[in-house]
């Protein structure tokens, strides 16, 4: 057995361990960038959904309040 193989197509031995660690660092940076883009997409989705719900509730209860205010003012006369 000359070493063991990981998922990047390079066999780890004593002679190439520093090269292997450098390649593994590059692969790790790629995955970090990939998952950062995915996480930013989900964060943007939840932020926009939260803003939608906030404005939905503002307009919904604003319309209910305006209707109640109108009926209250109309009942005074």
């Amino acid at each position: 057995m000359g070493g063991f193989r990981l998922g990047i197509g390079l066999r780890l031995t004593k002679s190439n361990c520093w090269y292997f660690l450098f390649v593994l660092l590059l692969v790790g940076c790629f995955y970090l960038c990939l998952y950062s883009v995915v996480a930013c997409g989900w964060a943007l989705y939840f932020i926009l959904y939260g803003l939608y719900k906030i404005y939905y509730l503002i307009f919904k209860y604003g319309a209910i309040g305006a209707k109640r205010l109108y009926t209250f003012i109309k009942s005074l006369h």
Side-chain angles (χ1 to χ4, degrees):
M1 299 288 294
F4 63 93
R5 184 179 294 271
L6 293 178
I8 58 172
L10 182 66
R11 188 174 294 275
L12 176 62
T13 59
K14 288 181 183 178
S15 62
N16 70 346
C17 70
W18 292 110
Y19 175 70
F20 182 80
L21 289 175
F22 178 71
V23 170
L24 205 58
L25 179 71
L26 292 178
V27 170
C29 288
F30 171 75
Y31 279 117
L32 178 69
C33 290
L34 176 68
Y35 290 129
S36 295
V37 169
V38 172
C40 287
W42 278 106
L44 182 64
Y45 169 75
F46 284 119
I47 288 170
L48 292 177
Y49 182 72
L51 289 175
Y52 160 73
K53 289 302 269 188
I54 287 171
Y55 282 111
Y56 172 77
L57 293 175
I58 287 173
F59 284 111
K60 177 183 175 182
Y61 290 112
I64 292 172
K67 184 178 179 182
R68 287 185 181 170
L69 182 64
Y70 175 74
T71 56
F72 176 72
I73 290 172
K74 192 173 180 181
S75 70
L76 291 178
H77 289 104

